[in-house]
Each structure stands twice: as C-alpha cells, then as structure tokens.
Amino acid sequence: MNRIIFALDVYDYNEALSLSRELSNDVFAIKVNWPLVMNNGISIVKEISRYSNVICDFKIADIDNTNRLITEKARENNAWGIITHSFTGRRSLKAVVSAAGDMKVFSLVSMSQESFIDNYTDDLVKMSMEENVYGLVAPGNRIDILRHIRSMSGDLKIIAPGIGAQGGGITDAIMAGADYVIIGRSIYSDPEPLKKVKSLNEILGDD
Ligand code: 3DU
C-alpha cells in the first residue's frame, strides 16, 4: 500500500515524464497542477496516466457550466481524480460531481495556509458530503484543523498537502486522519527522488 500522492509541480516535459516513470510504483498517485499543464497542455495528463493514477489539481472555482467544461477535459484525458474548490457553492460542486463520471472528486475544504475559507470549513465539509464527493483536501500541516475535518467527514478519503516544504510532518498528518499525504518539493527537489520516496514509505510502514 502506498499513501504518498506525488505533487509533480515541474514545468519540463521530459523531467515530468521521467519522474512519473521512476516513481510510479512507489506512490499512490501523481498530482498535476497548473504549472505542468500550462506548459505542456492537458494531454500530459493522458501521458502520465500510462504510469500512474493522475489527480488533476485544478482547484476549480467557477460557475457550473465552466466547471463542467474543465472537468470533462480532465476526464477525457484519463484523470483518475480531480480537485475542486467548494467555496463557490453547491451548484458549482454538483456540476463537477456530475461531469466527473467515474473520476474521483476531491473537494477542498481548508488550505495549508490561513485563508478566508477557514470561516466556512464546517459548511463546506457538510455540503461536500451531501453532494457525494469521494474525498476532501485538508491541510496536513495544520493538525488541529485536519483532525477536526476527519471527525466530521465519516469515511471520506482525506488527502493532505503541506508536508515537508510547508512544515507538516508525514506521520503527524496520517495520525490526525489523512488517508494520503501530498508531497511535492521534498521529493522532486531531492537529488534522489526515488530514494526519498522509499524512505518516506518506510517511515509510514508502507512498501
Ligand atoms: O508544498 P509541496 O511542494 O509539497 O506541494 C504541495 C502541493 O499541494 C502543491 O501542488 C500545492 O499547490 C498543493 N496544495 C497545497 O500545497 C495546499 C493546499 O491547501 C492545496 C493544495
């Protein structure tokens, strides 16, 4: 079992593909974000999906129709999962869930940095559960908030960024209720990314 989601926040096509190939057996999924997609186009999602589950971290935050259009593009390119904001409200969230089909929808309910979303986290968790998302994004470096979100969210999967470069501890996040931890810089900035992932898996007792 692997509980690391690798945040592939690089620009370069060759680097992205070679990291994906190298790490795919030792991570649960690869998360792509705007920096990679802006430089290479959405088709990079399909290419990486040959090696790993891909989560599109597009933090979708628009009206229902635009949310649908974005979600459909991720789905067309074989994404396994998609991350959406939820503060834009129920109608926007519903559009993502319905366009996602088999893709897993993760709803962001709190950031790893303080934000105005903090004022609405409980409402966002409740709404996300009512709208049948697969999981939530919650901060792995703000442990009390993560624990609180875990206590509210039943068996929804929680994926948690904020580990390593942003100060969070990998075991702290898992102990507080994260199912998976999202890690970027601590892995891809390491001179030996595969060795780094393997050592993190060892800390978690994962193979
Ligand atoms: O800090 P790292 O390099 O380990 O990368 C974390 C990733 O998770 C990065 O893609 C960032 O955009 C994403 N993320 C957060 O860091 C914090 C959030 O609240 C949501 C997403």
Side-chain angles (χ1 to χ4, degrees):
M1 161 177 191
N2 291 317
R3 283 180 281 185
I4 293 176
I5 296 172
F6 174 44
L8 183 55
D9 293 328
V10 300
Y11 288 126
D12 184 71
Y13 176 86
N14 291 321
E15 187 182 1
L17 267 286
S18 99
L19 279 167
S20 301
R21 268 193 298 267
E22 190 186 3
L23 303 184
S24 60
N25 286 334
D26 295 272
V27 298
F28 172 72
I30 293 177
K31 183 179 84 65
V32 304
N33 202 331
W34 291 114
L36 184 67
V37 171
M38 288 172 96
N39 225 32
N40 298 284
I42 186 73
S43 61
I44 188 108
V45 170
K46 193 175 246 173
E47 295 201 46
I48 297 171
S49 75
R50 293 182 1 230
Y51 306 110
S52 168
N53 290 336
V54 180
I55 300 176
C56 287
D57 184 359
F58 293 161
K59 293 196 187 64
I60 311 172
D62 217 308
I63 59 162
D64 52 0
N65 187 58
T66 311
N67 281 7
R68 174 180 66 79
L69 293 169
I70 295 168
T71 304
E72 283 174 0
K73 275 289 145 190
R75 187 176 170 189
E76 236 175 77
N77 283 278
N78 290 348
W80 175 85
I82 188 147
I83 293 176
T84 182
H85 268 300
S86 53
F87 72 81
T88 44
R90 193 179 294 274
R91 187 163 159 177
S92 292
L93 182 60
K94 269 187 193 294
V96 175
V97 171
S98 107
D102 290 342
M103 261 190 325
K104 316 293 187 205
V105 176
F106 295 88
S107 164
L108 192 152
V109 295
S110 176
M111 300 286 294
S112 61
Q113 303 176 352
E114 238 176 69
S115 81
F116 292 112
I117 293 174
D118 291 333
N119 298 322
Y120 302 98
T121 292
D122 286 11
D123 290 337
L124 299 179
V125 172
K126 280 185 211 135
M127 181 185 68
S128 300
M129 293 179 78
E130 286 161 12
E131 296 306 327
N132 296 315
V133 303
Y134 178 79
L136 303 174
V137 185
N141 59 339
R142 301 205 290 162
I143 290 301
D144 291 344
I145 294 175
L146 175 56
R147 206 176 283 119
H148 173 68
I149 292 169
R150 172 80 281 164
S151 76
M152 290 185 69
S153 58
D155 57 4
L156 286 193
K157 298 291 181 207
I158 294 183
I159 62 178
I163 310 302
Q166 296 182 57
I170 187 166
T171 34
D172 293 345
I174 296 287
M175 298 284 286
D179 295 285
Y180 300 93
V181 283
I182 296 170
I183 307 179
R185 284 166 286 179
S186 303
I187 296 171
Y188 65 75
S189 300
D190 193 280
E192 296 188 77
L194 182 58
K195 213 166 148 189
K196 179 72 183 186
V197 168
K198 285 185 184 291
S199 77
L200 292 170
N201 280 334
E202 238 170 69
I203 292 171
L204 293 178
D206 296 345
D207 41 40

